[in-house]
């Protein structure tokens, strides 16, 4: 009887999968990744999406086929008619959404889903989470408006408890408006008319949607800051519904061995002593586990797990007096690719978690120790993989409200002119709100060692003020105020861009006050037939006919880069990890099917960068 029941269940599952497949297929005719070709629409991105605060029992993944409609922006009310199905969490413009349509500033995109709440979720408080929705969205539960969120790169949630009706079935509708390049909001590389270095718009849900049940008193978030010199972890927790006398208890583990324990009243900071900790580095990415509890009169009210690492990143002069970046009091040259995190089939969204991890694994195998995450914020699991694999991260703030600036930067020397953009009060408020939200949600990831508020005068405004606020808000990291100019002589770093050859700011002029870095260079192009976004009019900053020519020129660039390290250079960023749309200057093709220079060759070429001596 049991075998017969199992057989029936398997048949039903197979039929369900086939039914979903018949309702969905990739849109358009662009190249696909292997993961996109093999995507199961029944179960896209099924992984638990919040690795820094895990409650693994009472949650439900809502990814999958939803209904959608595109309406005039001014139209009010939830649509009565739906145009078809869209595969969440892929943006509507993407192939993997199954739709492949643009929306624009004059239209609104609506989502609809009637869900069956799992029994273990439909109790206590019910929180609906969105990993990211670009850009402005309004949530409706069972026809009632719950609230609005603005911000295309930060996760957010709503307590929907009071909007639920009796029974399992609940109705969810989401209205999204996204002006892309016709609005002031952070958008990164999206533009309404894709060309050159500017790419396809990303509208709507592009990260996991999920729901969880929590107690009336529950942990909303934590803030974990390593203090290596104090041999301690500074721990804070935001607790919703806390009562007088409630305690936070934190236990740290190395595997199954408890190495530290402490408690503090809710709302206060705990200094958790970790006296014998192994320090985190790319060579030894040691992570420790945390168990976190809320106690009331000795009873556990809520519990969650997390993790942390002990590491510090500092700025101090070498023996010549030139400022350097030190990781755990040792000079480490930072070298990594400009990583934009775009996918030919998913746009901002990797086709799977395996694909998300693939880029980081390949970066490590190629002998890089750093990634500059370029004007995009990734899903939380991406940072988790950087933490566990051992990759330093320079995290950019996504650009927005471009235009109206003068880019004042010359390779190797700084002209000193500063031409900040005059943003509107609305534009400034949007930037500040989202930058703070991004810094908050990414704070606990030890791999992130550098914040980058601005890139190349793209919407750059009040540089000195924004930079100094960033330094004050998170003094545990290095701040690169403006990668590639305009330079306001603030922050820790002076960062130039130069294509294609390696260059650096003058160490005699600037080295006493700033860490000197080359934030972008290279961009060597090689289109691979059958693996490009389009068949012609692709480009790189310097193009080659074959892999041999590309490798020879790349090695020349690295040899020249290595010569700058003893002179004062502390970091370099090569453009780029993969091809993106019409750019064919990646180390991998856009579909990740061809690696243009082998991992082993790249690792051997890069070793001279880490062997370079300083301060003598």
């Amino acid at each position: 009887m049991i075998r017969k029941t199992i057989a029936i269940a398997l048949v039903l599952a197979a039929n369900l999968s086939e039914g979903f497949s018949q309702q969905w297929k990739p849109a358009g005719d662009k190249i696909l990744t292997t993961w996109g070709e093999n995507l199961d629409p029944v179960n896209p991105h099924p992984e638990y999406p919040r690795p820094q605060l895990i409650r693994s029992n009472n949650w439900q993944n809502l990814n999958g086929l939803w209904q959608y409609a595109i309406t005039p922006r001014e139209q009010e009310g939830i649509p009565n008619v739906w145009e078809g199905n869209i595969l969440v969490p892929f943006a509507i413009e993407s192939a993997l959404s199954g739709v492949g349509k643009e929306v624009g500033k004059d239209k609104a995109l609506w989502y609809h889903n009637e869900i069956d709440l799992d029994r273990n979720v439909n109790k206590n408080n019910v929180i609906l989470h969105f990993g990211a929705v670009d850009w402005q969205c309004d949530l409706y539960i069972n026809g009632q408006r719950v609230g609005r969120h603005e911000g295309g790169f930060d996760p957010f949630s709503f307590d929907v408890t009071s909007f639920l009706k009796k029974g399992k079935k609940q109705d969810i509708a989401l209205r999204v408006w996204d002006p892309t390049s016709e609005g002031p909001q952070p958008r990164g590389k999206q533009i309404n008319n894709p060309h050159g270095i500017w790419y396809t718009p990303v509208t709507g849900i592009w990260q996991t949607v999920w729901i969880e049940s929590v107690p009336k008193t529950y942990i909303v978030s934590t803030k974990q800051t390593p203090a290596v010199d104090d041999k301690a972890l500074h721990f804070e927790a935001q607790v919703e519904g806390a009562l007088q006398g409630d305690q936070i208890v934190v236990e740290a583990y190395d595997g199954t061995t408890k190495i530290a324990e402490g408690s503090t009243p809710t709302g206060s900071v705990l200094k958790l002593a970790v006296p014998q900790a192994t320090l985190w580095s790319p060579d030894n990415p040691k992570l420790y586990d945390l168990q976190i509890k809320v106690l009331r009169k000795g009873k556990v009210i809520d519990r969650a797990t997390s993790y942390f690492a002990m590491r510090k990143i500092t700025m101090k002069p070498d023996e010549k007096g030139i400022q350097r970046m030190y990781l755990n009091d040792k000079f480490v040259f930072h070298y990594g690719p400009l990583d934009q995190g775009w996918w030919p089939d998913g746009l901002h969204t990797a086709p799977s978690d395996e694909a998300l991890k693939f880029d980081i694994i390949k970066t490590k195998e190629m002998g890089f120790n750093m990634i500059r995450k370029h004007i995009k914020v990734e899903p939380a699991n991406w940072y988790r993989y950087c933490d566990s694999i051992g990759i330093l991260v320079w995290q950019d703030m996504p650009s927005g409200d471009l235009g109206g600036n003068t880019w004042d930067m010359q390779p190797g020397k700084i002209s000193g002119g500063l031409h900040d953009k005059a943003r509107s009060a609305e534009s400034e408020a949007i930037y500040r709100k989202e930058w703070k939200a991004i810094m908050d949600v990414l704070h606990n990831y030890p791999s992130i060692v550098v914040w980058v508020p601005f890139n190349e005068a793209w919407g750059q405004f009040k540089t000195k003020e924004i930079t100094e606020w960033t330094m004050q808000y998170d003094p545990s990291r290095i701040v690169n105020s403006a990668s590639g100019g305009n330079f306001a002589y603030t922050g820790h770093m002076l960062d130039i861009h130069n294509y294609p050859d390696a260059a650096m700011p003058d160490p005699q002029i600037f080295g006493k006050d700033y860490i000197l870095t080359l934030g972008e260079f290279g961009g060597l192009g090689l289109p691979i037939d059958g693996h490009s976004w389009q068949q012609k009019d692709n480009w790189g900053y310097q193009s080659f006919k074959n892999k041999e020519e590309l490798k020879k020129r790349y090695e020349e660039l690295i040899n020249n880069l290595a010569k700058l390290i003893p002179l004062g250079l502390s970091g370099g960023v090569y453009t780029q990890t993969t091809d993106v749309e019409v750019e064919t200057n990646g180390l991998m093709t856009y579909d990740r099917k061809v690696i243009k220079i082998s991992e082993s060759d790249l690792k051997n070429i890069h070793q001279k960068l880490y062997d370079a001596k300083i301060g003598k």
Side-chain angles (χ1 to χ4, degrees):
M1 180 62 72
I2 293 176
R3 288 182 180 177
K4 184 176 180 179
T5 302
I6 293 173
I8 292 171
L10 291 172
V11 169
L12 289 173
N15 290 338
L16 178 64
S17 179
E18 182 179 353
F20 267 77
S21 298
Q22 290 173 352
Q23 297 176 53
W24 173 88
K25 64 179 181 178
D29 58 359
K30 297 296 186 182
I31 54 175
L32 302 174
T33 64
T34 301
W35 304 281
E37 292 167 345
N38 297 319
L39 181 66
D40 178 5
V42 177
N43 205 24
H45 284 279
E47 305 79 21
Y48 189 86
R50 192 180 57 196
Q52 278 283 0
L53 188 67
I54 296 175
R55 293 186 197 88
S56 57
N57 293 327
N58 300 326
W59 78 287
Q60 182 178 347
N61 194 313
L62 300 183
N63 292 341
L65 287 174
W66 291 42
Q67 294 174 304
Y68 81 94
I70 299 173
T71 68
R73 181 187 173 191
E74 63 273 11
Q75 178 176 316
E76 296 183 1
I78 301 170
N80 296 317
V81 179
W82 301 96
E83 297 177 33
N85 293 323
I86 182 170
L87 189 62
V88 169
F90 300 102
I92 191 169
E93 296 89 349
S94 72
L96 295 183
S97 72
V99 181
K101 293 181 181 178
E102 293 191 4
V103 181
K105 69 178 179 66
D106 297 323
K107 300 288 182 67
L109 169 63
W110 284 86
Y111 293 83
H112 175 255
N113 195 5
E114 185 178 63
I115 66 169
D116 286 336
L117 271 185
D118 289 348
R119 182 180 299 178
N120 62 339
V121 172
N122 196 3
K123 59 184 180 181
N124 298 325
N125 281 22
V126 179
I127 312 296
L128 180 57
H129 298 275
F130 294 86
V133 179
D134 199 349
W135 170 68
Q136 179 194 87
C137 67
D138 295 275
L139 176 65
Y140 296 80
I141 300 293
N142 297 317
Q144 299 182 71
R145 186 177 180 275
V146 178
R148 168 174 288 184
H149 178 266
E150 293 181 343
F153 295 92
D154 59 309
F156 60 97
S157 60
F158 293 100
D159 187 330
V160 298
T161 311
S162 62
F163 297 89
L164 300 180
K165 60 186 180 182
K166 291 184 178 181
K168 294 196 306 181
K169 292 195 177 298
Q170 308 293 335
D171 192 271
I172 303 174
L174 191 75
R175 178 191 181 274
V176 178
W177 177 67
D178 179 21
T180 309
S181 51
E182 297 183 81
Q185 79 290 348
R187 58 180 170 88
K189 284 291 193 80
Q190 305 172 60
I191 196 168
N192 290 95
N193 58 328
H195 63 278
I197 64 170
W198 307 101
Y199 315 137
T200 303
V202 173
T203 300
I205 298 170
W206 67 273
Q207 289 187 33
T208 290
V209 184
W210 59 293
I211 201 162
E212 71 170 334
S213 171
V214 297
K216 299 296 182 185
T217 299
Y218 69 98
I219 304 160
V220 176
S221 63
T222 65
K223 183 178 182 180
Q224 295 146 204
T225 308
V228 170
D229 292 341
D230 291 342
K231 298 182 178 181
L233 179 74
H234 294 167
F235 181 92
E236 303 173 57
Q238 180 188 351
V239 179
E240 178 71 23
L243 301 180
Q244 185 72 28
D246 287 354
Q247 292 277 314
I248 288 282
V249 176
V250 181
E251 299 171 351
Y253 288 84
D254 183 358
T256 58
T257 303
K258 185 189 293 188
I259 60 170
E261 182 175 1
S263 64
T264 187
T266 55
S268 59
V269 179
L270 171 65
K271 183 177 179 180
L272 187 69
V274 192
Q276 304 297 327
T278 299
L279 301 186
W280 183 97
S281 72
D283 293 332
N284 185 19
K286 177 65 177 178
L287 302 177
Y288 294 94
D289 294 321
L290 285 175
Q291 292 191 12
I292 309 153
K293 303 172 188 175
V294 180
L295 261 60
R296 179 174 298 156
K297 297 179 179 179
K299 181 182 178 181
V300 176
I301 301 299
D302 187 28
R303 68 173 74 229
T305 61
S306 186
Y307 70 91
F308 72 100
M310 296 298 290
R311 67 101 186 93
K312 70 172 181 176
I313 185 80
T314 51
M315 164 183 165
K316 61 181 179 179
D318 64 15
E319 294 177 13
K320 290 183 179 179
I322 294 176
Q323 297 292 344
R324 301 281 190 172
M325 275 186 291
Y326 286 81
L327 181 67
N328 304 328
D329 294 321
K330 296 178 182 178
F331 172 70
V332 175
F333 184 76
H334 291 211
Y335 184 57
L338 192 77
D339 191 306
Q340 305 202 62
W342 281 76
W343 300 82
D345 41 17
L347 301 179
H348 267 181
T349 311
S352 71
D353 191 67
E354 181 186 2
L356 192 74
K357 190 176 183 179
F358 175 86
D359 280 4
I360 303 169
I361 290 172
K362 288 301 168 187
T363 299
K364 184 80 170 186
E365 290 177 350
M366 290 173 178
F368 294 102
N369 67 357
M370 178 266 283
I371 288 171
R372 179 181 170 202
K373 179 45 64 177
H374 189 42
I375 56 175
K376 183 197 176 192
V377 177
E378 293 288 359
N381 277 334
W382 187 88
Y383 300 95
R384 175 66 170 88
Y385 293 137
C386 288
D387 291 346
S388 59
I389 292 168
I391 290 284
L392 301 162
V393 176
W394 295 11
Q395 177 63 53
D396 288 10
M397 169 62 177
S399 304
D401 201 359
L402 277 63
N405 292 65
T406 301
W407 185 16
D408 188 5
M409 190 280 289
Q410 299 178 36
K413 58 183 179 179
I414 313 303
S415 59
L418 181 64
H419 305 281
D420 275 352
K421 179 183 178 69
R423 286 201 186 193
S424 68
E426 177 195 24
S427 176
E428 280 196 29
I430 289 170
Y431 175 99
R432 292 175 190 270
K433 178 183 177 183
E434 191 152 3
W435 184 220
K436 179 181 180 297
I438 289 167
M439 290 180 66
D440 285 342
V441 77
L442 297 183
H443 180 87
N444 291 347
Y445 298 100
S447 54
I448 299 174
V449 292
V450 175
W451 295 121
V452 188
F454 297 111
N455 176 77
E456 286 188 1
W458 294 355
Q460 187 178 343
F461 75 101
K462 295 184 178 178
T463 308
K464 187 175 177 62
E465 180 183 332
I466 295 295
T467 300
E468 291 180 356
W469 178 88
T470 303
M471 295 170 70
Q472 181 273 329
Y473 194 63
D474 185 6
S476 71
R477 291 179 168 99
I478 298 294
V479 177
N480 180 4
S481 65
S483 185
N486 296 323
F487 298 105
Y489 304 103
T490 185
H492 301 108
M493 194 179 286
L494 204 60
D495 171 337
I496 66 166
H497 295 176
N498 192 64
Y499 286 100
D501 293 295
M504 67 180 291
D506 190 331
Q508 300 306 313
I509 299 175
F510 305 110
K512 305 297 183 183
D513 298 312
Y514 300 101
I515 299 164
L516 306 178
T517 59
L518 176 59
E520 293 180 27
F521 81 111
L524 305 181
L526 176 64
I528 303 293
D529 188 42
H531 299 277
S532 298
W533 181 254
Q534 59 191 31
Q535 290 305 305
K536 59 180 182 178
D537 299 326
N538 297 300
W539 69 278
Y541 288 92
Q542 183 178 359
S543 295
F544 298 88
K545 296 178 181 179
N546 55 57
K547 292 181 179 181
E548 290 72 25
E549 289 183 2
L550 176 69
K551 177 184 171 184
K552 181 179 179 181
R553 179 66 170 121
Y554 182 83
E555 189 163 11
E556 180 183 313
L557 290 183
I558 300 307
N559 288 337
N560 292 334
L561 184 69
K563 294 174 184 176
L564 301 178
I565 299 172
L567 303 179
L569 190 69
S570 285
V573 179
Y574 177 80
T575 302
Q576 58 184 326
T577 307
T578 72
D579 299 344
V580 185
E581 299 204 357
V582 302
E583 292 185 63
T584 54
N585 49 21
L587 293 168
M588 296 186 285
T589 54
Y590 199 14
D591 58 12
R592 277 71 168 176
K593 292 178 179 178
V594 179
I595 295 174
K596 301 178 187 179
I597 306 173
S598 75
E599 299 94 313
S600 58
D601 283 347
L602 285 169
K603 187 172 184 177
N604 290 334
I605 291 169
H606 295 159
Q607 189 56 47
K608 61 177 66 71
L609 300 175
Y610 310 123
D611 293 339
K613 305 298 181 184
I614 67 164
K616 301 295 184 183

